[in-house]
């Protein structure tokens, strides 16, 4: 029979083999995440990302092995509450201001190729003292994209 009943189409398909997480945390694993539960998979990917970013720059406040241990998801409502660390509150906020007029720009600031942040009036390179050399970069890109082609010499008889 090629036709399926409505019950068969809407029935929830349960996998026949349920595998536990490979890290033995007691939660079911997912084949899409290499048979790891979501917590273990996120912990391994953040640990890998943190170790690669730590090799490029050192950040003493973050540890790559911070969430290396995996535990089953907690169901109590008190476990979801996160206490605010007073040391993290004292971090200085970066105020985005235009480098030309010191006007607050917030999210509407424009980052120039020279690395500075500018408002809408000073965003163009002729409106501020831009240290970026557009001519040299343009010449280098033209040289890179258009290599010199020399024809083979023709022997005259």
């Amino acid at each position: 029979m090629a036709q399926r009943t409505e019950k068969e189409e809407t029935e929830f398909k349960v996998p026949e083999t349920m595998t536990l997480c490979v890290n033995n945390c007691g939660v079911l694993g997912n084949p899409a995440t290499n048979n790891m539960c979501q917590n273990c998979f996120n912990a391994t990917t953040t640990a890998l990302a943190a170790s690669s970013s730590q090799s490029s720059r050192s950040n003493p406040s973050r540890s790559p092995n911070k969430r290396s241990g995996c535990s089953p998801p907690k169901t109590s409502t008190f476990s979801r509450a996160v206490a605010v660390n007073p040391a993290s509150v004292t971090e200085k906020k970066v105020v985005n201001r235009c480098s030309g007029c010191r006007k607050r720009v917030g999210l509407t600031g424009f980052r120039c190729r020279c690395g500075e942040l500018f408002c809408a009036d000073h965003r163009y390179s002729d409106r501020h003292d831009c240290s970026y050399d557009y001519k040299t970069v343009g010449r280098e890109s033209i040289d890179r994209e258009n290599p010199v082609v020399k024809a083979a010499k023709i022997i005259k008889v």
Side-chain angles (χ1 to χ4, degrees):
M1 290 170 54
Q3 295 179 344
R4 293 186 178 182
T5 63
E6 186 176 334
K7 182 181 177 188
E8 289 177 353
E9 290 178 355
T10 59
E11 188 176 290
F12 179 70
K13 305 280 192 276
V14 178
E16 296 169 4
T17 59
M18 295 190 157
T19 58
L20 292 176
C21 179
V22 294
N23 289 341
N24 295 328
C25 64
V27 182
L28 293 177
N30 186 355
T33 58
N34 297 329
N35 290 329
M36 287 190 263
C37 66
Q38 196 64 37
N39 291 337
C40 294
F41 183 73
N42 289 340
T44 56
T45 55
T46 55
L48 292 174
S51 64
S52 65
S53 67
Q54 186 179 16
S55 64
S56 64
R57 62 182 170 100
S58 64
N59 191 356
S61 64
R62 287 190 175 179
S63 173
N65 296 328
K66 194 172 189 180
R67 290 184 52 192
S68 62
C70 180
S71 62
K74 298 174 183 156
T75 57
S76 67
T77 57
F78 296 109
S79 65
R80 295 288 180 190
V82 177
V84 177
N85 188 2
S88 65
V89 174
T90 60
E91 292 178 7
K92 191 174 184 180
K93 285 189 174 181
V94 177
V95 179
N96 295 334
R97 293 186 178 269
C98 173
S99 296
C101 62
R102 306 297 301 158
K103 177 180 161 185
R104 288 182 126 183
V105 292
L107 297 174
T108 61
F110 295 91
R111 183 87 42 196
C112 181
R113 289 187 180 179
C114 62
E116 300 293 327
L117 187 69
F118 295 101
C119 64
D121 294 335
H122 297 106
R123 67 180 171 175
Y124 299 113
S125 61
D126 59 340
R127 300 287 300 190
H128 67 271
D129 296 326
C130 190
S131 60
Y132 189 77
D133 191 8
Y134 287 93
K135 279 187 179 180
T136 306
V137 174
R139 288 179 183 146
E140 288 174 357
S141 68
I142 289 172
D143 290 340
R144 197 176 340 106
E145 293 171 2
N146 301 322
V148 177
V149 178
K150 290 186 179 181
K153 290 190 176 187
I154 299 174
I155 301 173
K156 292 184 180 181
V157 181

